[in-house]
Amino acid sequence: MSGTGQGAFIQAVKPLVDAMGGEMVPPDEAGPDDVVLTWEGAAAVAVRLPQLADSLDHILAALERRKGMPLAELDRKAKQEIVRSLEARGAFAVRHGVETVASALGVSRFTVYNYLNREKGV
């Protein structure tokens, strides 16, 4: 496989697809919701994006890996920063997003709402 062909293109986009929690499938297996990526005029790979709820779980797991400990063990300030970051990424638009984040952080839904309201100056 050459360094400039479809194989190299697929390897180049793989870290991004993995970070999103997506799945790469052959273009001929693409479904209506999949995104087909083309390279040099030909379909190279299809990307199956995760459902939003799955993405939130994926984001939380990545945050936990980055922090090197369960999110529930972080201090209050770190948890507030995570809530701010997740809000900016639209995490609370997902059904049960507040509950999912609260569970991961080891706090109540009420606490997550307090963190969100504090940011908005309420």
Side-chain angles (χ1 to χ4, degrees), residues 1-120:
M1 214 177 282
S2 72
T4 59
Q6 276 191 355
F9 172 73
I10 291 169
Q11 285 308 110
V13 298
K14 186 175 182 342
L16 176 61
V17 173
D18 290 346
M20 294 184 320
E23 176 186 357
M24 295 171 67
V25 296
D28 59 344
E29 294 178 19
D33 294 330
D34 296 338
V35 179
V36 177
L37 302 178
T38 59
W39 181 252
E40 296 178 346
V45 67
V47 177
R48 185 159 294 150
L49 300 172
Q51 297 299 313
L52 286 175
D54 295 337
S55 292
L56 181 54
D57 289 336
H58 188 78
I59 290 167
L60 290 167
L63 283 168
E64 200 162 85
R65 282 192 305 276
R66 197 172 307 137
K67 298 289 184 182
M69 67 174 66
L71 298 178
E73 294 179 11
L74 297 173
D75 64 25
R76 182 175 180 220
K77 184 178 179 196
K79 289 178 183 181
Q80 289 172 333
E81 289 170 4
I82 286 174
V83 168
R84 274 195 301 275
S85 168
L86 291 172
E87 182 181 29
R89 294 174 83 170
F92 301 111
V94 175
R95 187 169 184 219
H96 303 297
V98 170
E99 292 87 346
T100 301
V101 171
S103 176
L105 295 177
V107 299
S108 68
R109 289 184 355 226
F110 181 76
T111 298
V112 172
Y113 284 119
N114 278 342
Y115 292 167
L116 290 169
N117 288 335
R118 183 170 291 123
E119 281 306 303
K120 294 175 183 160

